[in-house]
Amino acid sequence: MGAFFWLDLGRYLSLDYLKSSQTSLAQFYADAPAAVRAIYFATYVAVAAFSLPGAAILTLAGGAILGLGWGLLLASFAASIGATLAFLMARYALRDSVQARFGARLSEINRGIARDGAFYLLGLRLVPLIPFFVINLAMGLTTMRVWTYYWVSQLGMLAGTFVYVNAGTQLAHIQSLKDVVSPGLLGSFLLLGIFPLLAHKAMDAVQHRKVYARWKAVRPKTFDRNLVVIGAGAGGLVSAYIAAAVKAKVTLVEAHKMGGDCLNYGCVPSKALIKSAKLAHQMRHGAQYGLRDTEPAFSFKAVMQRIHAVVAAIEPHDSVERYTGLGVEVLQGYAKITNPWTVEIALNGGGTQVLTTRSIVIAAGAQPLVPPLPGLEDAGYVTSDTLWARFAQLDAVPQRLVVLGGGPIGCELAQGFARLGSAVTQVEMAPRIMVREDEEVAALAAAALSADGVQVLTGHKALRCEQTQAADGSTVKTLVVKHQGAEKRIVFDQLLCAVGRSARLSGYGLEELGIPTHKTVQTNEYLQTIYPNIYAAGDVAGPFQFTHTAAHQAWYATVNALFGDFKKFKADCSVIPWATFIDPEVARVGINEQEAKERNIDYEVTKFDIDDLDRQICDEGAGSKMHGFVKVLTVPGKDTILGVTIVGTHAGDLLAEYVLAMKHDLGLNKILGTIHTYPTLAEANKYAAGEWKRAHQPLALLEWVRKFHAWRRGTARS
């Protein structure tokens, strides 16, 4: 490339040179046709591969010297091969560094390329207005397959190549390249470029029509409802609320309790338990606050009653009465989708109601996974769903509790019951608990649980449950685990399965309709299933199993279901926060170091120790052992936030500032420039930003400023 410009070789790829040399070149071709074709082909490939100017002149030369047949053949293949070589150069020289630096932002583009890249590339190739060398280099930075790039380029550039080669056969009539492609012809190419995208849409329409084909005879001419929502958890409630707010006729179907898992079995009761457990812990450590250590005296039944009272206090927010008042028809029963527009509801009170609807939102939620352990059913167990009712019947806290699972649910409940007095053993098959978090975070979590008396057994695989008779005639329940090749027995009174949750995929018609499922209901970026009028949101759709993401997805699913014929919105799950409410809390948004390394994303780490924060010292004392921190990952050399992990008191609340910043592309400089109330824990966010700023000081400028101030003092030589 340097030689091309240094030696001014571009003068040989000009229209004037081609016209002045046409006769001699034609004679050369007549004398040695094979050699001229080879030189022409090699030159064209080199020009295209190195993105040099002159491809248009070479295409004209193909027609002027080689004729339409040979010119079109050689120019077409040379252009495609050269473009592919340029594509490969960009890929191997630049793609890894670009993907590493901007991987999070390019993820959506990569998904689009994987899904529809061939159609978009074909559209670009058919429009000569876009410089082809730009396409070559830009596409090399994506994840498009090389073969796909080659054959689409070969096909897409054929029409434009033909126009230029054909024009070259009439070279004498061409005064400039503008004569080759007139505005009318450019318009035609533009329309041609739109064709692949229209064809793609047409293919989608054909596919959708094919999906609906077997239901054509039962499609209603009119509909009872605009929307039927299956499931009244977080996702279903939001869907019904939005539909009613925009005056759509909506029916919400729930077989069990309004509010779903979060209100009745998950977030709400577990946080109520955690609060009681934390107060008991603080009483035992009263000396830390200048008080007397006191062993809390309490009734476990009263603790469980408080938990149920908390659930009852929140229930009206999600009640049938409230949603009926908002304009939602609420039916309690089991829904089954019998065809894409019909839902049959087996009512809890008896009878069946059949509704036709334009759209359906599936928000059926998830349920606890129960491992297939031999003897588990006989020994008995509880899950995060069933423990609240079962434990409410106990007179005292379980004396020996085994928790299967080292994820957020298992950790929260293990610590909570340990603080209330249970001897808790937590069993995790993986090498550490909380495997989705960084190792140092998992280590802090394990240390916190151990400090509260939890025996954390990692690398232990549960094998089976056994029951034996003790000397006094009582039954002894034992969990057998395997660790480093040896079996170990753990005696328990209660066993809690907290190994994860699985989407509810059966019982409401997915199988009969042929809607694909693989751990979750399969949807596109608009949350549509294979039937464009049937949507899924929340735990049943994945990939996140959080109440707040269920509500977030429900907005997209509902708006698309009601107004998608006019405008559809892709579900944006790019900035998803989550928290584990152990003590200290663990909260995160974006990527952590573990994920950055797995995805080969370059990053810088900034860390602030919360133990140094004034408010933390006020609350926990100078000798605090919380060891909390704010850890921010940024783009190297920039304040752009890639992800944040916070460990500490109220970490879930502190995270909100970073969620806002990432959602709206605000960097650490903006956080540093924001006034934070003193003394608050939220100052940790500002100080973390300050740590980043300190690490990126403009040292050369500061040295100049130092000299400036010395000069102002009259001591410049110092």
Side-chain angles (χ1 to χ4, degrees):
M1 292 178 68
F4 179 86
F5 292 103
W6 181 262
L7 301 175
D8 192 23
L9 300 179
R11 67 182 184 274
Y12 299 114
L13 296 177
S14 65
L15 182 60
D16 290 340
Y17 180 83
L18 177 60
K19 294 180 71 172
S20 65
S21 306
Q22 183 179 7
T23 302
S24 58
L25 290 172
Q27 184 60 50
F28 182 29
Y29 179 55
D31 295 338
V36 171
R37 291 169 192 159
I39 294 171
Y40 174 80
F41 187 84
T43 303
Y44 203 132
V45 169
V47 167
F50 289 103
S51 304
L52 300 174
I57 299 299
L58 279 174
T59 312
L60 288 174
I65 301 167
L66 308 179
L68 181 60
W70 276 106
L72 180 60
L73 178 66
L74 296 179
S76 175
F77 279 94
S80 300
I81 293 172
T84 304
L85 291 174
F87 169 90
L88 290 171
M89 288 181 192
R91 169 157 295 183
Y92 289 107
L94 300 172
R95 188 183 68 171
D96 289 347
S97 60
V98 170
Q99 289 287 343
R101 187 163 186 174
F102 304 106
R105 297 187 178 186
L106 293 175
S107 59
E108 181 65 26
I109 293 175
N110 290 332
R111 285 193 292 269
I113 289 292
R115 185 178 59 251
D116 298 319
F119 286 98
Y120 288 112
L121 176 59
L122 185 58
L124 292 172
R125 286 300 194 198
L126 288 168
V127 183
L129 288 171
I130 302 171
F132 284 174
F133 80 91
V134 174
I135 300 173
N136 299 337
L137 300 179
M139 285 295 177
L141 303 179
T142 71
T143 55
M144 178 175 284
R145 295 174 58 190
V146 177
W147 171 245
T148 300
Y149 185 81
Y150 172 77
W151 75 257
V152 172
S153 296
Q154 183 77 51
L155 178 63
M157 292 192 291
L158 187 59
T161 303
F162 174 81
V163 169
Y164 275 83
V165 172
N166 185 59
T169 63
Q170 307 294 323
L171 188 63
H173 302 289
I174 298 175
Q175 301 303 317
S176 72
L177 291 179
K178 294 180 180 179
D179 297 333
V180 178
V181 186
S182 64
L185 187 58
L186 279 176
S188 300
F189 273 124
L190 184 60
L191 293 175
L192 194 60
I194 295 172
F195 175 76
L197 304 181
L198 296 178
H200 183 40
K201 295 294 183 184
M203 288 173 62
D204 285 344
V206 170
Q207 181 63 31
H208 292 163
R209 189 171 182 179
K210 183 179 178 181
V211 168
Y212 286 118
R214 68 184 175 117
W215 307 106
K216 186 176 180 181
V218 297
R219 178 184 170 90
K221 293 183 178 179
T222 61
F223 300 91
D224 301 322
R225 302 289 185 270
N226 297 100
L227 185 67
V228 170
V229 181
I230 300 175
L237 291 173
V238 171
S239 285
Y241 180 93
I242 292 171
V246 296
K247 308 306 178 185
K249 196 168 186 181
V250 56
T251 294
L252 174 64
V253 186
E254 172 55 56
H256 299 294
K257 295 181 178 181
M258 295 286 287
D261 298 329
C262 182
L263 170 62
N264 298 289
Y265 316 116
C267 312
V268 172
S270 65
K271 302 312 163 285
L273 172 77
I274 287 169
K275 179 63 178 180
S276 296
K278 184 170 186 176
L279 182 56
H281 172 78
Q282 289 173 332
M283 292 175 68
R284 290 192 188 95
H285 298 83
Q288 183 177 335
Y289 308 98
L291 307 176
R292 182 181 301 164
D293 290 346
T294 304
E295 185 61 33
F298 64 93
S299 161
F300 182 63
K301 276 189 175 293
V303 171
M304 297 305 295
Q305 287 170 359
R306 175 186 175 272
I307 291 171
H308 287 286
V310 168
V311 173
I314 297 175
E315 275 179 348
H317 302 169
D318 301 341
S319 65
V320 172
E321 293 76 16
R322 182 185 179 221
Y323 276 80
T324 300
L326 292 170
V328 178
E329 179 190 41
V330 181
L331 297 179
Q332 295 190 288
Y334 290 86
K336 184 172 183 178
I337 307 170
T338 57
N339 66 55
W341 308 278
T342 305
V343 179
E344 183 179 286
I345 303 112
L347 300 171
N348 289 349
T352 301
Q353 186 168 347
V354 178
L355 296 174
T356 59
T357 178
R358 286 194 62 87
S359 299
I360 299 168
V361 170
I362 300 169
Q367 58 197 0
L369 278 170
V370 178
L373 289 181
L376 180 62
E377 293 291 339
D378 293 335
Y381 64 91
V382 294
T383 67
S384 56
D385 282 10
T386 62
L387 77 85
W388 310 108
R390 289 273 296 277
F391 282 15
Q393 301 171 8
L394 301 178
D395 294 324
V397 65
Q399 185 177 353
R400 295 167 297 190
L401 174 66
V402 167
V403 177
L404 279 183
I409 296 174
C411 290
E412 289 180 3
L413 295 176
Q415 187 182 49
F417 281 104
R419 286 181 163 186
L420 290 175
S422 291
V424 180
T425 302
Q426 187 176 16
V427 178
E428 170 56 52
M429 184 169 60
R432 57 188 172 91
I433 62 173
M434 297 181 67
V435 293
R436 296 181 65 183
E437 306 298 339
D438 288 337
E439 286 192 23
E440 64 176 326
V441 175
L444 282 176
L449 268 61
S450 296
D452 283 321
V454 178
Q455 184 181 16
V456 181
L457 302 180
T458 56
H460 286 66
K461 182 179 180 180
L463 298 179
R464 61 188 180 276
C465 290
E466 297 178 346
Q467 297 185 78
T468 57
Q469 290 293 118
D472 60 0
S474 62
T475 301
V476 178
K477 301 177 181 180
T478 306
L479 174 68
V480 182
V481 299
K482 187 176 183 180
H483 177 61
Q484 296 180 346
E487 288 191 358
K488 179 179 180 180
R489 284 167 168 76
I490 305 168
V491 178
F492 65 88
D493 299 312
Q494 296 286 343
L495 188 148
L496 167 62
C497 289
V499 295
R501 298 176 66 82
S502 61
R504 292 188 177 96
L505 302 175
S506 61
Y508 50 91
L510 299 183
E511 305 91 341
E512 292 84 350
L513 268 68
I515 294 176
T517 59
H518 177 64
K519 295 185 178 180
T520 59
V521 176
Q522 301 299 288
T523 64
N524 62 14
E525 62 268 35
Y526 302 106
L527 298 176
Q528 293 172 299
T529 65
I530 58 169
Y531 297 97
N533 71 310
I534 300 179
Y535 296 75
D539 291 0
V540 77
F544 304 100
Q545 292 187 340
F546 307 128
T547 297
H548 44 280
T549 50
H552 180 69
Q553 287 182 332
W555 184 93
Y556 289 96
T558 307
V559 171
N560 289 339
L562 297 175
F563 304 107
D565 290 340
F566 309 101
K567 170 67 176 176
K568 287 191 296 186
F569 297 88
K570 293 182 180 180
D572 178 14
C573 292
S574 58
V575 182
I576 301 296
W578 65 81
T580 301
F581 294 93
I582 57 173
D583 187 11
E585 292 179 10
V586 177
R588 179 153 72 92
V589 63
I591 61 174
N592 58 12
E593 285 195 85
Q594 178 173 281
E595 291 175 340
K597 292 173 182 175
E598 290 172 354
R599 293 158 57 180
N600 294 318
I601 297 174
D602 286 341
Y603 65 92
E604 288 184 4
V605 175
T606 300
K607 196 172 179 182
F608 173 74
D609 191 340
I610 291 180
D611 290 352
D612 294 332
L613 192 68
D614 291 1
R615 180 57 185 267
Q616 177 72 11
I617 295 172
C618 291
D619 288 351
E620 302 298 335
S624 170
K625 297 181 180 179
M626 294 294 289
H627 302 298
F629 57 79
V630 178
K631 181 164 65 171
V632 185
L633 270 61
T634 52
V635 173
K638 295 185 177 181
D639 71 337
T640 304
I641 303 170
L642 296 173
V644 180
T645 299
I646 304 179
V647 179
T649 306
H650 294 297
D653 298 314
L654 297 179
L655 190 70
E657 186 169 17
Y658 289 108
V659 178
L660 177 73
M662 290 184 66
K663 178 66 176 178
H664 299 287
D665 292 322
L666 304 176
L668 290 178
N669 280 314
K670 295 293 185 182
I671 292 177
L672 182 60
T674 301
I675 299 174
H676 293 70
T677 307
Y678 177 87
T680 60
L681 295 174
E683 286 187 295
N685 295 339
K686 184 179 78 170
Y687 290 138
E691 291 292 325
W692 178 88
K693 192 71 172 180
R694 188 175 296 108
H696 293 81
Q697 296 180 73
L699 298 179
L701 177 61
L702 290 176
E703 177 61 20
W704 183 90
V705 172
R706 186 192 68 79
K707 293 178 179 179
F708 168 76
H709 288 308
W711 173 76
R712 292 289 299 273
R713 296 194 306 271
T715 57
R717 291 185 178 181
S718 65

XYZ file of all heavy atoms in Angstrom, residues 673-714:
351
model
N -18.750 13.820 39.766
C -19.238 15.200 39.784
C -20.610 15.362 40.402
O -21.168 16.463 40.409
N -21.189 14.284 40.933
C -22.513 14.333 41.560
C -22.363 14.476 43.069
O -21.554 13.788 43.699
C -23.306 13.045 41.244
O -23.448 12.918 39.834
C -24.678 13.079 41.896
N -23.135 15.383 43.682
C -23.080 15.586 45.125
C -23.771 14.420 45.830
O -24.910 14.079 45.516
C -23.758 16.913 45.524
C -23.032 18.094 44.860
C -23.792 17.068 47.036
C -23.721 19.422 45.079
N -23.068 13.803 46.765
C -23.614 12.718 47.563
C -23.713 13.184 49.020
O -22.776 13.773 49.558
C -22.723 11.477 47.487
C -22.680 10.839 46.131
N -22.055 11.419 45.045
C -23.205 9.667 45.684
C -22.184 10.627 43.993
N -22.867 9.566 44.345
N -24.830 12.917 49.650
C -25.050 13.349 51.027
C -24.013 12.733 51.965
O -23.686 11.548 51.851
C -26.459 12.933 51.493
O -27.426 13.410 50.554
C -26.764 13.502 52.869
N -23.520 13.550 52.885
C -22.571 13.064 53.893
C -23.274 13.000 55.246
O -24.015 13.924 55.600
C -21.368 14.000 53.996
C -20.382 13.573 55.074
C -19.383 12.657 54.782
C -20.498 14.052 56.378
C -18.492 12.243 55.765
C -19.616 13.637 57.367
C -18.625 12.734 57.054
O -17.754 12.309 58.021
N -23.066 12.009 56.059
C -22.348 10.765 55.755
C -23.350 9.682 55.331
O -24.281 9.375 56.078
C -21.701 10.426 57.086
C -22.692 10.932 58.114
C -23.399 12.113 57.493
N -23.163 9.135 54.170
C -24.026 8.047 53.698
C -23.158 6.962 53.070
O -22.019 7.203 52.665
C -25.045 8.527 52.650
O -24.335 9.054 51.519
C -25.977 9.581 53.209
N -23.737 5.786 52.958
C -23.054 4.696 52.279
C -22.899 4.987 50.797
O -21.976 4.487 50.147
C -23.823 3.384 52.482
C -23.894 2.861 53.924
C -24.816 1.649 53.994
C -22.507 2.492 54.433
N -23.809 5.805 50.250
C -23.765 6.118 48.820
C -22.481 6.841 48.427
O -22.102 6.849 47.250
C -24.974 6.963 48.432
N -21.799 7.447 49.398
C -20.523 8.094 49.085
C -19.492 7.101 48.557
O -18.531 7.498 47.888
C -19.971 8.785 50.328
C -20.681 10.070 50.707
C -19.955 10.767 51.835
O -19.909 10.206 52.945
O -19.405 11.864 51.593
N -19.691 5.830 48.849
C -18.766 4.814 48.340
C -18.690 4.858 46.823
O -17.622 4.626 46.238
C -19.204 3.425 48.807
N -19.809 5.169 46.178
C -19.818 5.245 44.714
C -18.967 6.411 44.223
O -18.224 6.296 43.247
C -21.253 5.385 44.206
C -22.099 4.170 44.510
O -21.569 3.091 44.746
N -23.413 4.333 44.511
N -19.078 7.539 44.915
C -18.277 8.706 44.527
C -16.791 8.448 44.761
O -15.951 8.795 43.930
C -18.721 9.939 45.312
C -17.994 11.218 44.895
C -18.467 12.431 45.674
C -17.884 12.476 47.058
N -18.142 13.774 47.737
N -16.475 7.818 45.880
C -15.069 7.557 46.182
C -14.477 6.527 45.217
O -13.289 6.596 44.880
C -14.912 7.098 47.628
C -15.167 8.201 48.630
C -15.892 7.975 49.791
C -14.686 9.488 48.401
C -16.130 8.997 50.707
C -14.917 10.513 49.304
C -15.637 10.266 50.456
O -15.874 11.281 51.345
N -15.283 5.579 44.780
C -14.795 4.630 43.773
C -14.459 5.368 42.481
O -13.431 5.109 41.844
C -15.842 3.549 43.510
N -15.342 6.323 42.114
C -15.066 7.139 40.932
C -13.811 7.981 41.140
O -13.021 8.195 40.209
C -16.270 8.033 40.620
N -13.616 8.440 42.378
C -12.410 9.205 42.684
C -11.145 8.374 42.557
O -10.105 8.872 42.111
N -11.228 7.107 42.950
C -10.079 6.216 42.787
C -9.720 6.063 41.309
O -8.542 6.029 40.948
C -10.390 4.844 43.396
C -10.491 4.829 44.913
C -9.158 5.093 45.568
O -8.125 4.651 45.030
O -9.138 5.758 46.631
N -10.745 5.947 40.472
C -10.481 5.849 39.022
C -9.824 7.130 38.520
O -8.851 7.094 37.755
C -11.787 5.617 38.260
C -11.576 5.560 36.777
C -11.279 4.465 36.025
C -11.612 6.664 35.860
N -11.123 4.804 34.712
C -11.324 6.153 34.574
C -11.854 8.021 36.000
C -11.276 6.962 33.443
C -11.808 8.841 34.881
C -11.517 8.306 33.616
N -10.339 8.271 38.964
C -9.796 9.559 38.516
C -8.338 9.700 38.947
O -7.491 10.185 38.173
C -10.630 10.699 39.090
C -10.350 12.057 38.472
C -10.870 12.135 37.049
C -10.764 13.541 36.495
N -11.271 13.624 35.106
N -8.042 9.269 40.157
C -6.683 9.385 40.666
C -5.715 8.526 39.842
O -4.567 8.906 39.615
C -6.643 8.958 42.137
C -5.315 9.212 42.833
C -5.389 8.889 44.319
N -6.333 9.767 45.004
C -7.514 9.382 45.471
N -7.912 8.131 45.317
N -8.314 10.230 46.085
N -6.205 7.397 39.393
C -5.353 6.509 38.596
C -5.169 7.002 37.168
O -4.322 6.485 36.440
C -5.951 5.101 38.579
N -5.969 7.987 36.764
C -5.883 8.496 35.387
C -5.562 9.984 35.384
O -6.065 10.752 34.560
C -7.203 8.237 34.648
C -7.467 6.778 34.413
N -7.991 5.963 35.385
C -7.263 5.991 33.319
C -8.112 4.732 34.904
N -7.670 4.723 33.672
N -4.732 10.402 36.331
C -4.330 11.807 36.369
C -3.495 12.163 35.136
O -2.661 11.358 34.699
C -3.495 12.070 37.621
C -4.227 11.890 38.925
C -3.321 12.169 40.103
O -2.986 13.322 40.387
N -2.896 11.119 40.790
N -3.683 13.362 34.595
C -2.836 13.814 33.475
C -1.474 14.261 34.010
O -1.244 15.444 34.274
C -3.635 14.989 32.895
C -4.418 15.522 34.057
C -4.738 14.333 34.926
N -0.572 13.319 34.199
C 0.687 13.588 34.899
C 1.529 14.659 34.216
O 2.130 15.508 34.876
C 1.487 12.284 35.032
C 0.803 11.173 35.845
C 1.683 9.932 35.881
C 0.496 11.662 37.258
N 1.570 14.619 32.876
C 2.371 15.623 32.163
C 1.814 17.021 32.391
O 2.563 17.982 32.631
C 2.398 15.297 30.672
N 0.487 17.134 32.345
C -0.146 18.433 32.577
C 0.088 18.902 34.010
O 0.379 20.091 34.254
C -1.643 18.337 32.289
C -2.468 19.603 32.567
C -1.977 20.762 31.708
C -3.954 19.336 32.327
N -0.023 17.995 34.975
C 0.172 18.369 36.366
C 1.612 18.820 36.625
O 1.861 19.709 37.437
C -0.183 17.189 37.275
C -1.672 16.835 37.348
C -1.884 15.596 38.192
C -2.483 17.998 37.910
N 2.562 18.212 35.937
C 3.942 18.644 36.086
C 4.125 20.055 35.543
O 4.834 20.883 36.140
C 4.872 17.665 35.359
C 6.344 18.054 35.379
C 6.923 18.147 36.771
O 6.331 17.565 37.708
O 7.981 18.806 36.931
N 3.443 20.336 34.413
C 3.512 21.684 33.863
C 2.873 22.683 34.820
O 3.402 23.779 35.051
C 2.793 21.717 32.515
C 2.881 23.045 31.826
C 3.829 23.475 30.960
C 1.951 24.142 31.980
N 3.568 24.759 30.542
C 2.419 25.205 31.159
C 0.788 24.331 32.714
C 1.752 26.410 31.058
C 0.129 25.545 32.623
C 0.614 26.571 31.798
N 1.754 22.293 35.427
C 1.069 23.175 36.381
C 1.951 23.409 37.616
O 2.002 24.516 38.163
C -0.292 22.565 36.775
C -0.924 23.365 37.905
C -1.226 22.531 35.576
N 2.651 22.359 38.073
C 3.558 22.529 39.210
C 4.614 23.586 38.906
O 4.909 24.456 39.736
C 4.223 21.195 39.544
C 5.088 21.239 40.807
C 5.958 20.004 40.940
N 6.989 19.958 39.907
C 8.120 20.665 39.940
N 8.382 21.471 40.955
N 9.005 20.570 38.962
N 5.158 23.511 37.693
C 6.169 24.488 37.305
C 5.566 25.885 37.186
O 6.203 26.886 37.536
C 6.807 24.081 35.982
C 7.630 22.795 36.075
C 8.211 22.412 34.722
C 9.048 21.143 34.836
N 9.610 20.734 33.520
N 4.305 25.936 36.709
C 3.621 27.229 36.597
C 3.473 27.878 37.971
O 3.751 29.075 38.151
C 2.260 27.027 35.940
C 1.360 28.231 36.021
C 1.568 29.339 35.205
C 0.296 28.261 36.924
C 0.738 30.450 35.286
C -0.533 29.363 37.001
C -0.309 30.465 36.178
N 3.050 27.098 38.964
C 2.867 27.640 40.310
C 4.214 28.033 40.926
O 4.303 29.037 41.650
C 2.153 26.620 41.199
C 0.705 26.447 40.860
N -0.178 27.497 40.758
C -0.024 25.321 40.591
C -1.383 27.054 40.455
N -1.319 25.726 40.328
N 5.228 27.253 40.626
C 6.563 27.627 41.121
C 6.998 28.951 40.518
O 7.583 29.805 41.201
C 7.562 26.518 40.779
N 6.708 29.131 39.237
C 7.034 30.401 38.578
C 6.267 31.554 39.209
O 6.819 32.632 39.440
C 6.712 30.276 37.094
C 6.862 31.575 36.357
C 8.005 32.190 35.959
C 5.788 32.428 35.943
N 7.742 33.366 35.309
C 6.367 33.545 35.291
C 4.398 32.360 36.046
C 5.603 34.572 34.745
C 3.639 33.376 35.513
C 4.242 34.475 34.875
N 4.976 31.290 39.549
C 4.173 32.342 40.164
C 4.728 32.725 41.540
O 4.574 33.864 41.978
C 2.714 31.874 40.325
C 1.959 31.695 39.008
C 1.643 33.040 38.343
N 0.807 33.875 39.152
C -0.539 33.851 39.161
N -1.178 32.996 38.366
N -1.235 34.661 39.922
N 5.365 31.778 42.204
C 5.957 32.081 43.512
C 7.326 32.721 43.384
O 7.946 33.105 44.369
C 6.094 30.795 44.348
C 4.783 30.124 44.723
C 4.999 29.066 45.814
N 6.014 28.095 45.466
C 5.795 26.959 44.804
N 4.562 26.674 44.387
N 6.775 26.124 44.539
N 7.828 32.779 42.132
C 9.152 33.338 41.917
C 10.255 32.350 42.201
O 11.402 32.743 42.432
